[in-house]
């Protein structure tokens, strides 16, 4: 019996249009309907950036041009006199050194101690863990002005007035940093800790070798926020630092840009521009980690 091996014709099936495919008219209308959102974001961006642009441009103006009405955006006769006065007449190097030391030590202390406390509250079980964490969270609701005088009395009794340790020791740990690190570490798998304990590693080794390397985004977020707050701190260095050699940059600029009868706005704007530069550098370097930390912390 013969077998028919000739290929049979196949019937082509026309593709059916998908009901999920977006229509061009709907896409265009959705984009066109968001014009108000782009407008609001543009206005907000201009409102945020405009003062910084005016500050930088104003640092190249003379005192007369800064005081004239109506004010000008672009300098009519740009000069570096304000920066020359800032670096020559003021002991800028000493003030910059004090600010760097205080900000770096405070940031390093928060990164180490807050991460340790966050690890303990997140992964360890001990008696009184919940009340202690509630006490830490309760301190977030206490204004800093309330604890300012008691903190100053403690520092004075310890003999740390008018010293760099007196400027950074009270701020080596922050309750917000503890909360931030605890929330991030809660999202890490506990199997990593169990594997480390099976291999004979202690808690300190588990923290340094396993937990801390995984906390990069949270550490970057905490570091940027802590450095920013310490670098711009004004009231505490003003009270504790009582001689010129212990002034930080914000204190020195506020004291020396304000004369007996008037304020030297050109010098103040030039100093503010210089003060902001380290903060911008730190943020640009850790920008990616900072965004990751804000996006992932507290998901659990």
């Amino acid at each position: 019996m013969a077998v028919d091996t000739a290929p049979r014709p196949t019937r082509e099936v026309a593709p059916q249009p998908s009901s999920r495919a977006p229509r061009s008219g709907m896409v265009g209308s959705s984009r066109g309907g968001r014009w108000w959102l782009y407008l609001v974001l543009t206005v907000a961006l201009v409102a945020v950036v405009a003062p910084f642009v005016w500050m930088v441009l104003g640092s190249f103006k003379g005192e007369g041009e800064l005081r004239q009405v109506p004010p000008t955006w672009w300098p009519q006769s740009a000069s570096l006199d304000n920066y020359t006065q800032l670096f020559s007449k003021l002991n800028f190097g000493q003030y910059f050194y004090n600010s760097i030391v205080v900000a770096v030590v405070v940031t390093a202390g928060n990164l180490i101690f807050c991460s340790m406390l966050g690890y303990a509250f997140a992964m360890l079980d001990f008696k009184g863990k919940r009340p202690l964490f509630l006490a830490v969270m309760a301190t977030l609701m206490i204004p800093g002005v309330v604890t300012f005088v008691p903190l100053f009395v403690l520092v004075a009794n310890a003999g740390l007035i008018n010293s760099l340790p007196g400027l950074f020791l009270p701020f080596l740990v922050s309750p917000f940093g503890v909360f931030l690190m605890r929330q991030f570490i809660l999202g890490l798998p506990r199997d990593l800790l169990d594997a480390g304990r099976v291999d004979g590693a202690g808690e300190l080794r588990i923290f340094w070798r396993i937990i801390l390397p995984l906390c990069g985004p949270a550490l970057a977020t905490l570091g940027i926020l802590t450095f920013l707050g310490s670098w711009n701190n004004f009231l505490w260095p003003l009270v504790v630092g009582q001689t010129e050699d212990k002034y930080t940059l914000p204190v020195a600029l506020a004291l020396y840009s304000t004369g007996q009868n008037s304020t030297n706005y050109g010098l103040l704007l030039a100093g503010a521009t210089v003060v902001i530069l380290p903060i911008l550098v730190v943020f640009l370097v850790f920008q990616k980690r900072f965004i990751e930390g804000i996006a992932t912390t507290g998901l659990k």
Side-chain angles (χ1 to χ4, degrees):
M1 180 177 180
V3 180
D4 186 11
T5 59
R8 297 180 180 179
T10 58
R11 185 175 59 181
E12 296 182 357
V13 180
Q16 298 294 331
S18 176
S19 59
R20 297 183 180 181
R23 299 179 181 178
S24 59
M26 295 178 59
V27 175
S29 61
S30 62
R31 291 180 179 178
R34 293 183 179 180
W35 64 268
W36 58 270
L37 178 60
Y38 294 108
L39 179 61
V40 171
L41 293 178
T42 302
V43 172
L45 178 63
V46 172
V48 172
V49 175
F52 294 96
V53 175
W54 191 88
M55 177 189 68
V56 175
L57 295 177
S59 64
F60 296 98
K61 299 178 183 178
E63 194 66 22
E65 186 178 354
L66 285 171
R67 295 178 180 271
Q68 74 178 20
V69 180
T72 60
W73 273 94
W74 295 100
Q76 296 176 356
S77 57
S79 66
L80 297 176
D81 294 341
N82 295 322
Y83 291 96
T84 302
Q85 183 180 0
L86 178 67
F87 290 103
S88 61
K89 293 185 178 181
L90 302 183
N91 192 4
F92 184 83
Q94 182 65 44
Y95 306 144
F96 189 83
Y97 171 78
N98 294 340
S99 295
I100 283 291
V101 170
V102 172
V104 170
V105 173
V106 170
T107 303
N110 276 267
L111 293 180
I112 295 174
F113 298 124
C114 290
S115 58
M116 285 183 173
L117 290 173
Y119 169 72
F121 284 125
M123 296 296 186
L124 301 183
D125 296 326
F126 54 90
K127 187 176 181 180
K129 170 182 174 179
R130 184 177 179 82
L132 284 176
F133 182 71
L134 292 178
V136 172
M137 296 302 299
T139 58
L140 288 174
M141 298 181 288
I142 302 176
V145 180
V146 176
T147 60
F148 189 89
V149 174
L151 189 61
F152 178 79
V153 173
L154 290 175
V155 172
N157 292 335
L160 298 177
I161 296 297
N162 198 32
S163 65
L164 290 181
L167 295 178
F168 59 72
L169 281 179
F171 307 102
L172 291 181
V173 181
S174 64
F176 172 76
V178 175
F179 171 74
L180 180 70
M181 296 306 301
R182 174 189 178 270
Q183 294 302 111
F184 186 86
I185 295 176
L186 277 177
L188 300 179
R190 287 182 173 268
D191 296 340
L192 298 175
L193 279 70
D194 297 335
R197 294 189 180 110
V198 169
D199 292 339
E203 296 298 334
L204 187 61
R205 186 177 180 183
I206 292 175
F207 171 75
W208 284 107
R209 296 292 183 89
I210 299 177
I211 299 298
L212 204 59
L214 299 177
C215 296
L219 291 175
T221 303
L222 178 60
I224 291 176
L225 296 177
T226 305
F227 186 88
L228 177 63
S230 179
W231 184 264
N232 292 330
N233 193 8
F234 174 77
L235 187 57
W236 182 259
L238 176 65
V239 175
V240 176
Q242 300 179 352
T243 57
E244 291 188 11
D245 59 330
K246 296 299 184 294
Y247 287 167
T248 57
L249 275 177
V251 175
L253 291 175
L255 294 180
Y256 291 110
S257 62
T258 304
Q260 185 176 0
N261 300 318
S262 62
T263 301
N264 189 342
Y265 291 106
L267 180 62
L268 187 61
L269 293 177
T273 302
V274 174
V275 169
I276 286 178
L277 289 179
I279 300 175
L280 291 178
V281 172
V282 171
F283 178 77
L284 291 177
V285 171
F286 299 101
Q287 179 182 8
K288 183 178 179 181
R289 291 284 190 174
F290 176 78
I291 297 175
E292 290 178 359
I294 293 294
T296 57
T297 301
L299 293 180
K300 183 174 181 180

